[in-house]
């Protein structure tokens, strides 16, 4: 038997499951789905929970995932270790003691970890959103013009009293605070938009 997890065959995986108390899952993992060492290195917790594996017992999922974490961390493919690419880069930097040497996770490994390697441009959605924006703006402007022309004479027909606002004292600085809050939120949004890729 090879000590390299990546070279394990199905029978070696079956033995590993027996050694760690997961004998009840040998039929599911080894007989039905033919998982070998390479498959174990790529398994995630979501793989255990979702079809086709779909292990129902949460405790078994957590215990098996813990053992898989140990196995993947000690396997022959450290690039396929657990965690997000950012966490992998941090671990690599600590191990090499050189933060300048941290590189991006290769595209192939990102795909194995379930991360998108490219994003397709969605021009149709962008055009549709722009048309929706223009339509809403046009309808709002049109309605405002119609309402403005049809507003009755304020002197002959004064507006109905507002029970809520008539019983609340006027706060002269409230509008200024609203403007300040709006400006602050805008600055926060712009900051997040600009530095998002450096998160």
């Amino acid at each position: 038997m090879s000590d390299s997890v990546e070279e394990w065959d199905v029978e070696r995986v079956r033995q590993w499951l027996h050694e760690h108390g997961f004998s009840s899952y040998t039929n599911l993992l080894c007989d039905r789905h033919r998982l070998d060492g390479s498959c174990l290195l790529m398994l995630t917790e979501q793989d255990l929970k979702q079809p086709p594996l779909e292990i129902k017992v949460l405790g078994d999922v957590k215990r098996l995932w813990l053992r898989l974490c140990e196995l993947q961390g000690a396997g022959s493919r450290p690039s396929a270790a657990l965690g997000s690419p950012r966490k992998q880069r941090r671990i690599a930097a600590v191990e090499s003691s050189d933060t300048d040497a941290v590189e991006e996770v290769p595209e192939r490994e990102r795909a194995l970890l379930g991360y998108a390697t490219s994003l397709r441009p969605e021009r149709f959605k962008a055009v549709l959103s722009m048309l929706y924006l223009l339509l809403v703006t046009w309808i709002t402007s049109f309605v405002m013009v119609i309402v403005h022309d049809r507003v009755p004479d304020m002197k002959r027909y004064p507006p109905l009293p507002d029970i809520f606002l008539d019983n609340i004292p006027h706060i002269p600085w409230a509008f200024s605070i609203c403007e300040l809050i709006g400006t602050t939120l805008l600055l926060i949004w712009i900051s997040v938009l600009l530095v998002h890729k450096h998160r």
Side-chain angles (χ1 to χ4, degrees), residues 178-193:
C178 289
E179 288 184 330
L180 180 62
I181 293 174
T183 304
T184 304
L185 291 176
L186 177 62
L187 293 176
I188 292 174
W189 178 78
I190 293 175
S191 301
V192 170
L193 186 65

Side-chain angles (χ1 to χ4, degrees), residues 22-177:
F22 300 108
S23 303
S24 57
Y25 296 108
T26 55
N27 179 51
L28 174 67
L29 300 176
C30 299
D31 298 330
R32 289 176 55 187
H33 295 287
R34 307 296 297 169
L35 297 184
D36 57 11
S38 299
C39 296
L40 286 184
L41 292 177
M42 291 186 290
L43 273 181
T44 66
E45 186 176 1
Q46 293 302 317
D47 291 333
L48 300 176
K49 294 179 180 178
Q50 297 173 352
L53 297 181
E54 203 172 7
I55 298 177
K56 298 294 186 182
V57 182
L58 181 61
D60 289 347
V61 171
K62 295 298 183 181
R63 283 185 287 272
L64 181 54
W65 175 238
L66 178 62
R67 292 299 182 181
L68 285 172
C69 287
E70 298 172 356
L71 187 67
Q72 292 170 342
S76 59
R77 292 179 54 187
S79 58
L82 308 173
S84 65
R86 184 174 67 173
K87 182 178 179 181
Q88 294 177 25
R89 293 194 298 272
R90 186 182 305 144
I91 294 173
V94 172
E95 291 177 349
S96 64
S97 300
D98 183 8
T99 56
D100 296 332
V102 180
E103 299 178 354
E104 291 290 331
V105 177
E107 182 174 333
R108 177 175 173 274
E109 300 300 338
R110 289 178 60 85
L112 290 175
L113 289 167
Y115 292 91
T117 56
S118 62
L119 297 177
R120 295 180 300 173
E122 298 181 333
R123 297 183 180 87
F124 175 75
K125 291 183 179 180
V127 172
L128 188 63
S129 301
M130 182 61 67
L131 291 177
Y132 176 76
L133 173 64
L134 295 175
L135 179 64
V136 170
T137 304
W138 183 84
I139 291 176
T140 303
S141 302
F142 179 77
V143 170
M144 290 178 64
V145 170
I146 297 299
V147 169
H148 183 268
D149 290 340
R150 297 177 64 88
V151 170
D153 186 9
M154 298 285 289
K155 296 180 180 178
R156 291 184 58 187
Y157 305 101
L160 296 175
D162 191 309
I163 298 176
F164 181 76
L165 294 178
D166 287 346
N167 290 284
I168 294 180
H170 176 66
I171 304 175
W173 48 266
F175 188 74
S176 300
I177 293 298

